Structures are given as structure tokens and as C-alpha cells.
Amino acid sequence: LPDGCVDILISFGGATDEGAMPDGEVSAAAGVGPMSKPLVVSGAGPRLYVGVRFKPGCAYAALGIPASQLLDETVDFGVLAREAHMELDALSSQASDEARLAAMIALVRRRMRHAAAVPNSVRAAVRRIVGADGNLRIASLADEVGITRQQLARQFATHVGVSPKMLARVMRAHAVLARTARAASPRKLDWSAIAYELGYYDQAHFIDDFKALTGATPGEWTTRDQPFLRGGADAMK
């Protein structure tokens, strides 16, 4: 689901178009850009995945491409790294899952050592949006962080990949999901009360917005098997 984050994701082994790969060999490597809609991932058999998730605002530092260019996109790791083959070969050469994880951490640290700094205004705006569960006046956000609305929009396009309003919508949807997860009986939730609490215009607005971001209405969400959630509250802290 959309969560404002971006990822670098490496998979090892499993089936590919070229056939089965050895368990310890890199079979795919990609960057996953910010999302504005749900992404359905079809299973391709068991395999090991090692990934790194970057908090909202860190997309340009992590991937090296203006984040808005990667909206709802998954790109080959080779686009993100000049020495991609060497880095992936180094990962494939590791002898254990623990070593692969350590090598992945080292790879990301090398990337971040020379990464572009995240502007303080972006950090502050993201903190405000996340801390408020998206329930705040976006029109006044630029004044709060000390820049113009146009500057904030440009900075979000580069470093977040979605607008402040879109990030607020995503955070509100995750606040709804958190309430369903905590509820003793999710099917008996008072959706009208939740819509009011989170600042939706009315219940119809709440249902339409939630479905656009998750692919299901709130009621449908509580009565079906829930897919894996990218991120969640801890990813934004």
C-alpha cells in the first residue's frame, strides 16, 4: 500500500525468465518509487528478499532520481547505481543470509555517504503530516516550515515524490488501518466516527479516498485477507 516510503529491494534465488537461480545468487534488484495506489504483487515461488525502506522525504537521497519521476514505478537497480553489476556480484558472493544482509547494509551506507541532503523544511513538513495522521491544513504547512507553498511543492516533488496533500491522504488511510488493527471487533467499527475524527469531509469522502489508496472500502478491508502492508506506522517514525 502507499506509505510515502521508497525501497531498494534485492531478491535471491527462485524462478526467473532464464530459469531457476541458485539460492544465494541475486535474481532481481530494483528500486521501488513512492506510491499513490496499491501495488498487487504476484507470487513467483519462495525466495529470499533483502530490502531497505527509506522514510518519506528520503527518496532522492536513497535513489538519486527526483522522486516524482518514480511515482508508482519500479526501476531496475542498474538505473540507480553506476557500479550496479559489481555491487550485485558482491551480494551474490556472500555465503549466508546474515552475510547478505550485512553486505546490503554496507551497500546502502556507501550510497548514503554521498547522497544529497534532505532539506530541513521537508523533514519538518513530513514530521507534521505524519504526526497529525494527515489531519491538518496543508495550506498553512509552508508557513509553518518557513518557505513558500511553491518551494514546498518543488521540494516534495524532488524528495518525497508526492504532494503534501497526497502524503496527508496516505497518512490518514494508514491511521484508519491502525484503528482496524487495534479494534477488538473490526466489523463493528463506527466508520462515521472515524471519518469525523480524522477530518474527512463526510463518510462518502472517507470511503472514496480510502478505496482509492487501498483498493477496498473500509468495510471490505475488515472482511478479507489483508495483503502485506509496505511500511506501516513504524516506517514513518
Side-chain angles (χ1 to χ4, degrees):
L1 298 182
D3 62 6
C5 301
V6 299
D7 305 290
I8 293 177
L9 188 64
I10 312 290
S11 67
F12 297 83
T16 69
D17 293 340
E18 288 75 33
M21 301 284 286
D23 288 344
E25 190 170 335
V26 172
S27 53
V32 183
M35 295 162 54
S36 66
K37 56 189 178 184
L39 173 66
V40 178
V41 180
S42 59
R47 64 177 62 182
L48 170 70
Y49 286 90
V50 179
V52 180
R53 173 159 298 134
F54 299 87
K55 293 184 283 189
C58 298
Y60 185 54
L63 304 181
I65 298 173
S68 59
Q69 296 182 18
L70 299 176
L71 181 62
D72 294 317
E73 295 287 344
T74 298
V75 297
D76 187 86
F77 185 73
V79 176
L80 309 177
R82 281 179 290 184
E83 299 179 345
H85 291 300
M86 293 178 57
E87 292 181 326
L88 297 179
D89 286 344
L91 288 171
S92 292
S93 69
Q94 305 304 314
S96 68
D97 291 349
E98 292 77 10
R100 293 178 189 103
L101 178 59
M104 183 70 176
I105 293 171
L107 181 157
V108 171
R109 283 178 172 163
R110 288 194 299 271
R111 289 183 63 86
M112 299 305 290
R113 193 173 299 131
H114 305 291
V118 181
N120 289 333
S121 49
V122 171
R123 293 183 183 273
V126 168
R127 280 197 301 269
R128 281 282 292 119
I129 293 171
V130 173
D133 287 334
N135 186 12
L136 75 169
R137 291 187 69 253
I138 296 297
S140 62
L141 188 58
D143 288 339
E144 291 183 33
V145 300
I147 60 176
T148 68
R149 293 174 65 179
Q150 292 78 9
Q151 287 174 317
L152 185 63
R154 288 195 295 269
Q155 289 183 354
F156 262 61
T158 298
H159 296 277
V160 183
V162 296
S163 68
K165 182 177 180 179
M166 183 66 194
L167 183 61
R169 289 178 57 203
V170 168
M171 293 301 104
R172 283 204 289 188
H174 276 272
V176 175
L177 295 172
R179 283 158 174 74
T180 65
R182 292 194 301 263
S185 179
R187 298 188 185 193
K188 296 181 180 180
L189 283 167
D190 186 340
W191 298 119
S192 295
I194 291 175
Y196 177 80
E197 178 187 353
L198 293 175
Y200 289 96
Y201 180 73
D202 55 26
Q203 190 169 350
H205 172 216
F206 162 51
I207 292 172
D208 289 346
D209 204 53
F210 186 87
K211 185 172 184 178
L213 292 168
T214 68
T217 66
E220 290 169 343
W221 184 267
T222 60
T223 57
R224 71 175 190 179
D225 292 334
Q226 296 179 12
F228 172 75
L229 305 185
R230 265 191 52 186
D234 289 342
M236 273 70 79
K237 292 179 181 177

